[in-house]
Amino acid sequence: MTDFARTRSLFNLPPGVIYLDGNSLGPPTIGTSDALTQLVQEEWGGQLIKSWNSAGWMTQPRILGDRIGQLVGAPQGTIVVGDTLSIKVFQTLAAALDMNPKRHVILSDTGNFPSDLYIAEGLARMLGRGHTLKLVAPEAVLSAIDNEVAVVMLTEVDYRTARRHDMKAITRRAHEVGALTVWDLAHSTGAIPVDLRGAGADFAAGCTYKYLNAGPGAPAFVYVAEEHADSIQPVLSGWLGHEAPFSFDLDYRAGRGIERMRVGTPPVIALAALQTALSAWEGVAVDEVRAASIELSELFISEVERRCRELILASPRDPAERGSHVSFRHGEGYAVMQALIARGVIGDFRAPDMMRFGITPLYIGEREIRAAVDVLEDVLTRRLWTAPEYHKKTFVT
Ligand SMILES: *Cc1c(COP(=O)(O)O)cnc(C)c1O
């Protein structure tokens, strides 16, 4: 059994704060600060460049990739960490399109994260072979997969509504018609059980700074199914994806398997934060995190709907169709969220009208959920959000 009292004790949230934004930026674990100090003072400061070998810096992207693999149903040796998610989406989509050269449609949905769509547009333009990005409503994806589609590129859990795609059914349909799949797991990893291998996913990529708590700008990870890993042609053919980086050959030869998805020098400081953050998952079963998340989300929804009638649920009502955040609409959602944040309840806002609340059982429990609804009800019934200071727009919402 997962001991949530233990996982809670690994996080040190500021007093008076109820943090419901771990879906956007997870908090640090207690060990993170010491781990970073140790890295800077002993490995970097003490051993200097020797640490590339002695501290295993160069192999961290694979070791941590394997650890993440346990959370997303990926066999050992199929995940590597590095770069940002946008870059990993570019690499995987490019590889998938290259595997299906006779087709030119990239299918995605209107709920996908804009960066993924922008990346697809930019890649299509660069390839100059007439690829088009076709967007349909999330509900229409399955029926839109036909034999013109080269690649189905989706984010499994919608960043705004938390609506969840059926990865297995969509992947099966894609394969039936000869298409490949690229899955963005930004809002899945550490939030819901994922079975990449079982679903037959071809490619996937995800974040480590959301539910994995590795810190702002922490690197992404990329998955390539074993059957593709030795044949894909990397477009970002950087030296660390080369078969023998330290031979310094003039010609590129792709490295073995997932190694070829590496690009350049690993972000060692960020990897140290990731390593420590992942240790919070020792002894934690994703299924139990999911069960706790559903219980807390159901409580949150029922309390909000009972006490805050101005708010309209934007997430699917059926927990099986949701990820691990809950969104509500309100015409003045931005100001309501600012008023909440000023009172220590931190969620976030996604234009045009959506307030998001992340449910992260590793460090959030029933007490926090109930207390957050108390504050939300107070902000709404007393119209505290009408104060002018809550209407000033900041860059990051
Ligand atoms: C958070 C998020 C990203 C972020 O990409 P970065 O390159 O790490 O900034 C991409 N896709 C989705 C679906 C996200 O939620």
Side-chain angles (χ1 to χ4, degrees):
M1 283 292 283
T2 299
D3 179 358
F4 288 108
R6 184 193 71 90
T7 60
R8 292 174 73 105
S9 74
L10 298 176
F11 293 88
N12 190 8
L13 288 154
V17 164
I18 297 176
Y19 195 59
L20 301 180
D21 216 356
N23 54 311
S24 195
L25 177 68
T29 56
I30 286 186
T32 301
S33 175
D34 283 350
L36 293 178
T37 302
Q38 196 255 343
L39 174 96
V40 172
Q41 293 186 349
E42 290 168 34
E43 294 184 11
W44 179 17
Q47 298 297 312
L48 299 163
I49 199 164
K50 292 179 282 181
S51 282
W52 282 114
N53 291 314
S54 62
W57 284 350
M58 210 44 111
T59 46
Q60 277 296 77
R62 283 288 296 281
I63 292 169
L64 299 181
D66 283 344
R67 182 68 191 87
I68 292 169
Q70 294 169 14
L71 301 175
V72 294
Q76 301 279 293
T78 57
I79 290 187
V80 71
V81 175
D83 314 300
T84 75
L85 181 47
S86 302
I87 288 169
K88 282 351 212 180
V89 168
F90 180 90
Q91 281 181 292
T92 50
L93 181 60
L97 291 174
D98 187 55
M99 283 173 65
N100 215 351
K102 296 208 173 75
R103 299 191 185 184
H104 297 95
V105 175
I106 304 162
L107 179 69
S108 191
D109 72 30
T110 52
N112 204 349
F113 191 70
S115 191
D116 298 35
L117 304 178
Y118 304 158
I119 290 283
E121 284 170 16
L123 176 60
R125 198 174 337 111
M126 191 190 82
L127 290 173
R129 296 201 284 114
H131 287 98
T132 54
L133 176 62
K134 179 176 175 184
L135 298 182
V136 299
E139 302 74 25
V141 167
L142 198 60
S143 58
I145 303 173
D146 59 25
N147 59 14
E148 310 251 285
V149 174
V151 177
V152 181
M153 178 191 78
L154 295 169
T155 295
E156 186 188 19
V157 174
D158 188 304
Y159 75 107
R160 273 187 299 212
T161 63
R163 182 192 183 281
R164 179 188 188 178
H165 278 299
D166 184 339
M167 181 187 287
K168 199 164 191 169
I170 287 175
T171 303
R172 194 186 312 121
R173 175 76 186 136
H175 290 171
E176 271 166 20
V177 301
L180 293 152
T181 54
V182 172
W183 290 97
D184 182 331
L185 304 179
H187 294 277
S188 309
T189 315
I192 61 172
V194 178
D195 185 8
L196 285 171
R197 177 89 204 140
D202 299 292
F203 297 92
C207 260
T208 64
Y209 53 79
K210 291 171 179 161
Y211 292 90
L212 296 187
N213 313 309
F221 67 89
V222 62
Y223 165 84
V224 179
E226 279 165 314
E227 58 270 33
H228 305 322
D230 278 316
S231 54
I232 54 170
Q233 292 301 318
V235 286
L236 295 182
S237 38
W239 74 300
L240 282 181
H242 190 278
E243 181 180 79
F246 286 87
S247 300
F248 299 104
D249 292 338
L250 294 183
D251 299 318
Y252 181 79
R253 287 191 314 278
R256 286 179 54 188
I258 195 68
E259 286 285 337
R260 65 185 60 189
M261 295 305 257
R262 294 178 66 159
V263 182
T265 305
V268 173
I269 296 173
L271 290 173
L274 174 59
Q275 179 178 19
T276 309
L278 286 172
S279 66
W281 291 87
E282 295 303 331
V284 171
V286 182
D287 285 339
E288 288 167 10
V289 171
R290 171 67 168 162
S293 157
I294 289 178
E295 202 173 305
L296 295 172
S297 309
E298 292 290 279
L299 172 70
F300 185 66
I301 292 171
S302 68
E303 286 297 295
V304 169
E305 291 194 321
R306 189 168 65 78
R307 296 162 61 185
C308 312
R309 304 213 167 213
E310 295 164 58
L311 297 184
I312 309 293
L313 182 66
S315 298
R317 194 163 289 281
D318 177 358
E321 289 176 18
R322 283 198 307 265
S324 197
H325 66 273
V326 173
S327 299
F328 284 95
R329 291 180 203 277
H330 186 286
E332 292 289 346
Y334 179 79
V336 175
M337 184 53 75
Q338 299 317 302
L340 277 178
I341 293 170
R343 287 161 182 79
V345 176
I346 303 181
D348 63 20
F349 173 78
R350 287 293 174 266
D353 60 357
M354 225 172 279
M355 299 164 67
R356 294 194 306 183
F357 300 92
I359 311 287
T360 50
L362 289 194
Y363 51 87
I364 289 292
E366 184 181 335
R367 194 177 58 78
E368 285 84 1
I369 295 294
R370 291 190 184 279
V373 182
D374 290 344
V375 178
L376 182 55
E377 182 181 21
D378 190 44
V379 162
L380 290 169
T381 51
R382 295 167 59 207
R383 295 176 63 81
L384 299 172
W385 55 266
T386 56
E389 67 261 36
Y390 302 138
H391 294 257
K392 284 193 214 83
K393 283 271 160 74
T394 51
F395 182 66
V396 178
T397 61

